[in-house]
Amino acid sequence: MTDMLVKLYDLPDNWHFLAKKAARGVTLRKPLGPEKHLIMDWVRENFSDAWASEADMAMSNRPVTCFIACQRQTLIGFACYDATALGFFGPGGVAERYRGKGIGKALLLACLLDMKLKGYGYAIIGDVGPAEFYRKAVGAVEIPNSTPGLYKDMLRRDT
């Protein structure tokens, strides 16, 4: 899988998506410290140990570089940046039953706009799975020769 690049300076400074999601009962926000264990458990159960480790790193950053999506105090999605490398978006994911409702895009935008506010000009989306989603959502473009990328020498469990 390839890496993708997003021009943050081209993203409109518009957080309207937060109100749109709130009107549908979904709150997007940065998590509180006491919620960390719940978030790590949820990410591990719904995605992977590796993503839980990355989310843990994002929760340990100051300020936190993670957003969560909740519905009635239930976690339904998350997205992080600056978790594995500075300037990198990810990981992020939404519970299967909530996919296709724009929650993933809203989490992506929250992270990217937060990065823009911090002064980043670009964001890298590493080891992309759904490239078309990122192309359509934020105009991401593939970075040539970025495979295998940052994760190539990552430790793996023996199988």
Side-chain angles (χ1 to χ4, degrees):
M1 289 184 259
T2 190
D3 294 343
M4 297 185 86
L5 188 70
V6 180
K7 295 180 200 173
L8 298 178
Y9 54 83
D10 278 351
L11 289 181
D13 294 322
N14 189 340
W15 292 79
H16 69 281
F17 58 91
L18 294 177
K20 283 185 177 180
K21 291 296 158 216
R24 295 181 183 216
V26 176
T27 302
L28 272 74
R29 63 177 175 81
K30 288 194 173 189
L32 301 173
E35 298 172 316
K36 182 178 177 180
H37 70 284
L38 297 171
I39 295 163
M40 297 314 103
D41 290 347
W42 186 87
V43 172
R44 188 173 291 105
E45 290 167 13
N46 287 276
F47 298 98
S48 70
D49 287 337
W51 280 21
S53 293
E54 288 179 294
D56 189 358
M57 295 300 293
M59 286 282 301
S60 298
N61 289 333
R62 289 295 169 262
V64 169
T65 57
C66 180
F67 283 86
I68 57 173
C70 306
Q71 190 169 56
R72 291 183 297 277
Q73 295 181 303
T74 299
L75 183 61
I76 61 172
F78 82 106
C80 305
Y81 69 92
D82 286 355
T84 298
L86 294 177
F88 272 67
F89 165 82
V94 175
E96 199 167 331
R97 72 181 267 214
Y98 293 97
R99 293 179 191 162
K101 300 176 189 304
I103 297 166
K105 182 178 178 181
L107 286 163
L108 169 66
L109 285 172
C111 285
L112 295 180
L113 287 174
D114 205 39
M115 291 175 79
K116 182 179 179 179
L117 284 172
K118 287 183 176 177
Y120 286 100
Y122 295 90
I124 298 167
I125 306 169
D127 204 27
V128 170
E132 189 56 32
F133 167 76
Y134 293 112
R135 246 192 259 11
K136 205 168 145 185
V138 293
V141 295
E142 290 185 23
I143 300 172
N145 303 315
S146 61
T147 302
L150 180 69
Y151 300 93
K152 70 178 178 168
D153 293 325
M154 189 170 90
L155 295 175
R156 313 262 187 226
R157 282 201 171 118
D158 289 336
T159 54

